[in-house]
Amino acid sequence: MRLLQMSLAGGMLILAVTAVRAVFINKLPKRTFLVLWGVALLRLLVPVSVPSALSVYTLLGQGMESEGRAGAAGSAEGGVSADISADIGNRIEMDGLQGAAGQTAGRLVSEAGNPLVTASDSPGGEAGPGLWGLGTSTCAWHGFQGRLRTAGIIWCIGAMTWAAYFAASYCYLRWKYKTAVLVRNDFLEQWLEGHEFWRKVKICASDRISTPMTYGIFRPVILLPGNLDLTEEEQLNCVLTHEYMHIRRFDTVTKLVATLAFCIHWFNPLVWILYILINRDVELACDEGVVKRLGIASRSAYALTLIQMEERKSCLAPLGNHFSKNAIEERITAIMKIKKTSFWAILLAVALVSSVTTVFATSALGGEERMGGISETDTQIPLSDRTYTQEEWEKLQALRFDGYEHMSVRDFQNKVWELTDSEEYWEIIERFSLDATLYEQRDRNDTAAFLFYVLSPLTAEKWETRSFDGSVSKAYPEAADNALLEYNIILTIQDAEELTVGEYRDARAGVAKGLESWMAGRTEAELQEEDLMKAAIDSEVADLARQWGSESLRIQVKPYYIPLENADIPENQALEDQALEMRQSQWDKNLTPYVPFGLSYEYDQTTDDFRLYFQGKEVRGLVDEEEGIWFSEHAGISIYGEGAVELYAVYEDGQLTGLREATEEEQETWTQMRQENTDSLKTGGEEERGNPGTEEDYRSLLALMAPDYEAMSLTEFNAALLEWANEDYDRMERIGKDAAWNDIRVFLREDELSFAKLTVVLSGLENGTEIRNQYRGREEDPVHDWNFPDKIVAESGMAAWCSLYYQFSYHIDDKDAVTVGERDRLVGGFMEAVQAFWEDTDVEGMLKMEEKDVVEELQRIAARWSDGQIAITVREDQVSFERMDERGRQ
């Protein structure tokens, strides 16, 4: 068995164990998952496998072979012969796609519109899904025989680099702990006598660590922080028992084996997941062992100790075991859910381990090992020289059913899947999809367009949501950088029964053509104004998404614009100067209250550089917890000097009385957060959307939408929502991000959408505020904010625009007396009224208003939607209204 096959087989097993873990993590003994991870490590490290009739690979192979034999060898409506390339005499060269191939394969050349594809769907990917077997076969990768040697060298470099890193980390830590001293007292002596060890164990202390840990295999050492209070016997007993469990179970060996697998399979992202989760499960199993040894009643004390011992580690110690922060929330949750293991839990654990091992850890039964289509004798010619038989072309054309554009997506999928239900047929389709020459013709050949923009996305594993990248530019020879609009069109199918294939195809092409036409109409002056163009682009993509979207198909467009620079046309410097002046004015307005207490600041319009100072020190940021705001020029750390500090506003009886520097602990927390932000910018750029809520997530949420939920008191409903949120934090996070991004990818009725986007958001806000109030010891009202899309109008290459951001709070006298429906009617009505004011007032009308006029209008709306039980307040100092009219300045 080759390395890649081992990695793929191990990856399949890792996915299975991860799924089992997600469902049963708090229902089965934690050591169950260590056993499963051990099986996965064996699959990754041992180059032999046991064949089994129950293996998933045997079942898949038998199903594909039987379906392939059942089809007619020469028919476009059945399977193909086992040797799909036997008819060499009829092979068609791809270079002749628009010549002889067009005559042989049918109607190949016609107008194809402007389809777009994502990198994940593009052919020829060397390190994409095909490498891991998650979407395309790895056969093509093995076919590049000329690249095998290069791939081997790259693998060796990666493996040696990671091995050197782990070895250097371990040696450094051992050197660091050489200064540790042996500690003894009566309690430690009694504790050692009361615990059996197969190896000699030493207890030492070091000032160079901040949290207890264990290292060493044959002569283990329990290392305690030098400042740990040895007189706190209850806490010390928890710490020592935790480390004792690590030693007794040889957890260091487990981590060593996981590290070895990581170094060998460093190229497989699923092995990274294994490495992370096995370290977590080692700690969870250890926690379970400690609680069972100390007694169930010790859970709270042990969890408290875990929190107190939370580590802020800055390096990777792969061969040590830490009593520290390792998915701290998951560990505490697991600790509090530990209970006596029942006979049925043990029986279920044994059954799961046996079934997962049998199905996923064994190989196919037969003379040839199959792994996602990989064969020891499989070869493929390089993509650039790929050729096809007439029969293969006919099989692709056979999927372009007459009138397929009018079929529903569901009917089209079912017909394709029924017709291609054989391994050989999908291998042909896959070879086409990996063809670089065909891919390059996707915009001018309708067979290629059909393959990449209809067949592939609608029959992919994750067909519900697909993204299509594209770009359009305007070139000026005299410009240093030409204008470029890159975009990502995301199509989410919400009703596959109603949406037709033609509507899906036309929606993508329509948005792409719309952006192309819109870009063509922009003047040179407009193309140079980045802020102006971004606002106009946002407005245009919103219009296109509404135009081409429907209840069955949701469209998102994410644009990225690079402006035209240094062209030989006059620049509108006044526009930029006014924007900088408005920026300085906003800083002045926000920071003036803090100046009497020693804060000073500088703003350089020439560089758009802003700096804060306090008592001669540079200030990175100012936190005003009373007002719930944070002032900072940059969320990262790279632009600040070494001695820069964080500031906090000080209040007494609700009045600002001064400023203070952050404590050492606060400063360290801010430094860590800023460093993470800086690192994320270096490695990824923009914030990621994260995983969206699933249908299962929303089904669980909608269970709270009882027929009479609107009649429930806020106290009762909010308590039910809080209980639901505490059941699954990740689920709550996914749904919360959906609401924040206004991006719910599950089909919901209008009333369900209102429930998810209004009722749940407001009640969640109230729950969060109440918890924060209990923590701070003072009463505050929930605060909500909204940022509207800019309103913009352009004339003769110049534009006028305005923007609005606002915050409001609302006070509820008695949540027992106010129902959910009444709260939603008033607060939701206020938000809708503000939105109507913004949408119904045209740009000309908004340009005539000052910020105080907008504030007064919002306050009038708030008064109209307040009553005796709910009072809505617009936060005047948190309203930002900006406007600019450059149309008369040419």
Side-chain angles (χ1 to χ4, degrees):
M1 180 180 285
R2 294 172 299 180
L3 176 64
L4 187 58
Q5 287 180 286
M6 293 167 60
S7 197
L8 288 167
M12 290 284 287
L13 183 53
I14 291 168
L15 286 174
V17 176
T18 303
V20 170
R21 183 185 187 275
V23 176
F24 296 102
I25 186 63
N26 290 317
K27 297 180 178 64
L28 296 177
K30 302 300 183 291
R31 298 190 72 176
T32 304
F33 307 104
L34 291 183
V35 173
L36 288 172
W37 291 129
V39 175
L41 289 173
L42 286 174
R43 190 68 162 134
L44 290 167
L45 297 174
V46 178
V48 294
S49 60
V50 178
S52 170
L54 297 178
S55 171
V56 64
Y57 310 121
T58 300
L59 300 176
L60 288 175
Q62 290 175 348
M64 291 178 181
E65 288 172 1
S66 63
E67 292 297 330
R69 287 190 295 267
S75 171
E77 305 213 352
V80 297
S81 62
D83 185 4
I84 61 176
S85 59
D87 189 4
I88 304 299
N90 290 328
R91 300 183 72 86
I92 300 174
E93 295 295 331
M94 277 302 301
D95 292 338
L97 178 63
Q98 297 192 19
Q103 300 170 3
T104 307
R107 185 174 55 88
L108 294 179
V109 182
S110 69
E111 184 175 347
N114 291 301
L116 309 165
V117 295
T118 61
S120 62
D121 289 330
S122 64
E126 287 125 313
L131 183 59
W132 313 121
L134 299 181
T136 59
S137 172
T138 57
C139 297
W141 188 84
H142 282 290
F144 297 135
Q145 294 184 5
R147 301 182 185 178
L148 288 178
R149 181 172 299 179
T150 302
I153 294 173
I154 293 173
W155 172 81
C156 288
I157 293 173
M160 293 173 63
T161 301
W162 278 111
Y165 172 78
F166 282 107
S169 298
Y170 182 72
C171 293
Y172 167 76
L173 293 177
R174 288 302 299 264
W175 170 81
K176 184 177 178 181
Y177 305 149
K178 286 179 66 176
T179 59
V181 296
L182 197 66
V183 293
R184 282 288 185 269
N185 62 25
D186 292 339
F187 176 82
L188 295 178
E189 294 289 347
Q190 294 175 6
W191 187 89
L192 285 172
E193 291 176 1
H195 293 76
E196 298 179 358
F197 291 98
W198 297 347
R199 296 155 287 167
K200 184 178 180 180
V201 176
K202 295 192 297 184
I203 300 178
C204 299
S206 172
D207 292 328
R208 295 186 174 184
I209 64 171
S210 58
T211 182
M213 66 170 296
T214 295
Y215 65 91
I217 297 175
F218 302 105
R219 290 176 294 178
V221 175
I222 298 176
L223 196 60
L224 304 176
N227 59 359
L228 184 67
D229 188 356
L230 300 182
T231 63
E232 290 287 338
E233 294 184 356
E234 182 179 10
Q235 181 187 81
L236 188 58
N237 186 42
C238 289
V239 170
L240 293 174
T241 305
H242 180 96
E243 304 304 333
Y244 167 74
M245 299 305 297
H246 278 311
I247 295 172
R248 185 178 179 184
R249 295 178 176 182
F250 288 85
D251 285 342
T252 300
V253 176
T254 301
K255 293 191 175 187
L256 178 62
V257 176
T259 301
L260 175 62
F262 181 93
C263 292
I264 294 174
H265 299 273
W266 59 268
F267 54 86
N268 190 340
L270 294 174
V271 178
W272 290 58
I273 294 175
L274 175 144
Y275 187 82
I276 294 170
L277 292 182
I278 198 171
N279 277 279
R280 287 191 181 187
D281 288 343
V282 163
E283 297 300 326
L284 291 174
C286 183
D287 294 336
E288 184 181 62
V290 171
V291 171
K292 289 185 176 180
R293 186 176 183 88
L294 298 180
I296 297 297
S298 68
R299 290 182 301 183
S300 297
Y302 181 63
L304 179 61
T305 301
L306 183 64
I307 294 172
Q308 293 171 343
M309 293 294 155
E310 179 180 343
E311 177 190 7
R312 301 177 182 86
K313 57 186 177 183
S314 59
C315 60
L316 181 60
L319 306 182
N321 297 294
H322 295 256
F323 191 96
S324 62
K325 181 174 182 180
N326 187 353
I328 193 73
E329 295 85 357
E330 182 182 41
R331 292 180 64 188
I332 292 174
T333 299
I335 289 170
M336 300 311 295
K337 290 186 177 181
I338 292 175
K339 56 186 178 182
K340 185 177 179 181
T341 304
S342 66
F343 168 80
W344 296 110
I346 296 174
L347 190 62
L348 178 59
V350 172
L352 277 174
V353 171
S354 301
S355 57
V356 170
T357 301
T358 301
V359 174
F360 292 97
T362 56
S363 61
L365 192 66
E368 175 185 76
E369 290 191 15
R370 295 179 180 89
M371 242 328 276
I374 296 177
S375 164
E376 290 291 343
T377 60
D378 179 57
T379 60
Q380 270 191 349
I381 53 180
L383 296 176
S384 57
D385 299 326
R386 195 178 293 248
T387 55
Y388 304 94
T389 66
Q390 179 179 348
E391 179 187 55
E392 290 169 344
W393 276 113
E394 290 174 350
K395 287 188 176 294
L396 177 60
Q397 292 287 355
L399 301 179
R400 298 181 65 191
F401 318 120
D402 290 339
Y404 76 89
E405 302 94 334
H406 306 296
M407 298 175 66
S408 72
V409 169
R410 178 71 70 209
D411 290 342
F412 176 77
Q413 291 173 326
N414 290 338
K415 190 168 182 178
V416 170
W417 289 332
E418 180 182 1
L419 188 62
T420 59
D421 191 17
S422 70
E423 182 178 7
E424 291 85 358
Y425 210 136
W426 275 112
E427 285 178 351
I428 295 172
I429 302 302
E430 195 165 51
R431 291 179 65 229
F432 277 114
S433 67
L434 290 171
D435 194 300
T437 307
L438 184 59
Y439 175 74
E440 291 171 358
Q441 301 182 64
R442 66 195 184 280
D443 292 343
R444 59 182 185 271
N445 175 273
D446 68 349
T447 296
F450 170 78
L451 172 64
F452 291 109
Y453 308 128
V454 176
L455 182 64
S456 292
L458 290 182
T459 58
E461 182 179 359
K462 298 181 179 179
W463 57 267
E464 294 93 339
T465 297
R466 305 296 291 178
S467 62
F468 303 86
D469 294 340
S471 64
V472 58
S473 63
K474 291 195 69 172
Y476 295 93
E478 69 275 13
D481 289 306
N482 276 296
L484 174 66
L485 172 60
E486 297 179 337
Y487 53 87
N488 180 248
I489 303 172
I490 303 173
L491 302 183
T492 300
I493 298 175
Q494 301 188 115
D495 189 344
E497 304 286 351
E498 293 294 328
L499 182 68
T500 68
V501 177
E503 289 170 340
Y504 182 87
R505 178 198 60 191
D506 294 344
R508 172 198 41 76
V511 173
K513 289 181 179 178
L515 289 173
E516 183 178 350
S517 299
W518 182 86
M519 191 72 171
R522 304 280 67 79
T523 66
E524 292 180 344
E526 288 176 311
L527 293 171
Q528 290 193 104
E529 298 296 339
E530 183 174 5
D531 292 338
L532 179 72
M533 281 293 293
K534 285 182 176 179
I537 290 168
D538 287 341
S539 177
E540 179 66 17
V541 299
D543 290 341
L544 287 171
R546 283 192 295 268
Q547 176 185 349
W548 291 98
S550 65
E551 292 184 0
S552 303
L553 179 66
R554 186 161 51 85
I555 300 176
Q556 289 177 280
V557 183
K558 296 182 179 180
Y560 175 72
Y561 179 67
I562 300 175
L564 178 69
E565 291 188 3
N566 298 335
D568 188 19
I569 55 178
E571 295 190 5
N572 191 352
Q573 187 62 41
L575 187 67
E576 182 176 349
D577 291 343
Q578 185 172 352
L580 293 174
E581 289 173 5
M582 292 177 66
R583 177 168 161 80
Q584 180 166 6
S585 175
Q586 188 65 40
W587 279 114
D588 292 339
K589 175 182 176 181
N590 290 335
L591 295 176
T592 296
Y594 307 99
V595 172
F597 304 103
L599 181 72
S600 61
Y601 59 93
E602 298 175 356
Y603 181 66
D604 186 347
Q605 282 197 14
T606 61
T607 61
D608 193 22
D609 188 29
F610 187 85
R611 298 286 178 175
L612 291 170
Y613 299 95
F614 179 71
Q615 296 180 356
K617 297 181 180 180
E618 183 183 8
V619 175
R620 299 189 303 202
L622 169 60
V623 183
D624 191 328
E625 295 179 304
E626 186 76 18
E627 296 295 330
I629 52 180
W630 174 48
F631 301 103
S632 182
E633 171 70 357
H634 192 275
I637 200 171
S638 59
I639 68 172
Y640 300 106
E642 185 175 350
V645 299
E646 305 285 344
L647 281 187
Y648 280 79
V650 178
Y651 282 80
E652 293 182 6
D653 299 326
Q655 298 295 319
L656 179 65
T657 59
L659 300 171
R660 68 169 178 85
E661 291 185 23
T663 65
E664 183 177 346
E665 183 178 358
E666 291 169 338
Q667 183 80 3
E668 187 173 354
T669 299
W670 280 105
T671 298
Q672 182 178 357
M673 183 272 290
R674 287 179 177 274
Q675 186 63 57
E676 290 173 354
N677 289 338
T678 296
D679 292 343
S680 68
L681 288 173
K682 291 178 179 178
T683 58
E686 296 183 358
E687 177 185 4
E688 294 184 355
R689 161 68 169 84
N691 293 326
T694 64
E695 289 190 11
E696 183 179 355
D697 293 340
Y698 280 95
R699 279 199 300 270
S700 70
L701 177 66
L702 294 176
L704 300 176
M705 191 180 169
D708 62 341
Y709 84 92
E710 292 181 313
M712 295 172 64
S713 71
L714 286 177
T715 300
E716 182 182 1
F717 180 81
N718 290 0
L721 180 64
L722 183 61
E723 182 178 356
W724 172 86
N726 288 336
E727 288 175 357
D728 189 333
Y729 177 80
D730 291 337
R731 177 182 64 190
M732 178 194 70
E733 279 286 288
R734 289 191 294 270
I735 290 181
K737 285 186 177 180
D738 284 357
W741 284 67
N742 193 26
D743 179 24
I744 296 177
R745 302 185 182 182
V746 173
F747 178 74
L748 301 178
R749 303 190 310 267
E750 286 298 323
D751 58 332
E752 294 171 338
L753 276 174
S754 176
F755 178 78
K757 297 171 70 172
L758 179 64
T759 305
V760 172
V761 168
L762 293 180
S763 288
L765 186 64
E766 291 160 17
N767 283 335
T769 303
E770 185 172 347
I771 293 171
R772 191 161 53 249
N773 289 345
Q774 293 174 0
Y775 174 74
R776 294 178 177 176
R778 61 173 182 265
E779 289 297 321
E780 294 181 354
D781 293 325
V783 177
H784 195 40
D785 63 353
W786 195 256
N787 192 19
F788 289 106
D790 291 354
K791 300 171 76 73
I792 187 166
V793 61
E795 295 177 5
S796 301
M798 305 303 292
W801 61 269
C802 51
S803 64
L804 175 62
Y805 165 84
Y806 78 102
Q807 280 188 6
F808 72 93
S809 61
Y810 59 95
H811 179 76
I812 302 175
D813 286 331
D814 186 357
K815 292 182 180 178
D816 291 326
V818 177
T819 65
V820 173
E822 183 67 9
R823 188 272 316 272
D824 289 356
R825 183 183 70 82
L826 293 175
V827 179
F830 164 75
M831 296 169 66
E832 289 179 359
V834 173
Q835 183 169 350
F837 158 69
W838 179 252
E839 292 178 350
D840 295 345
T841 308
D842 60 17
V843 175
E844 302 298 339
M846 297 303 301
L847 290 173
K848 297 175 182 178
M849 303 180 73
E850 303 285 346
E851 185 172 276
K852 64 180 182 61
D853 300 321
V854 176
V855 172
E856 290 173 359
E857 179 61 28
L858 297 186
Q859 289 173 337
R860 281 193 290 270
I861 297 173
R864 192 163 66 245
W865 287 95
S866 299
D867 65 6
Q869 293 181 310
I870 299 180
I872 301 173
T873 302
V874 176
R875 305 186 75 183
E876 182 176 350
D877 59 336
Q878 294 301 316
V879 175
S880 175
F881 173 67
E882 297 180 358
R883 56 188 173 84
M884 187 177 298
D885 189 352
E886 293 296 320
R887 292 172 295 180
R889 300 192 181 187
Q890 297 186 46

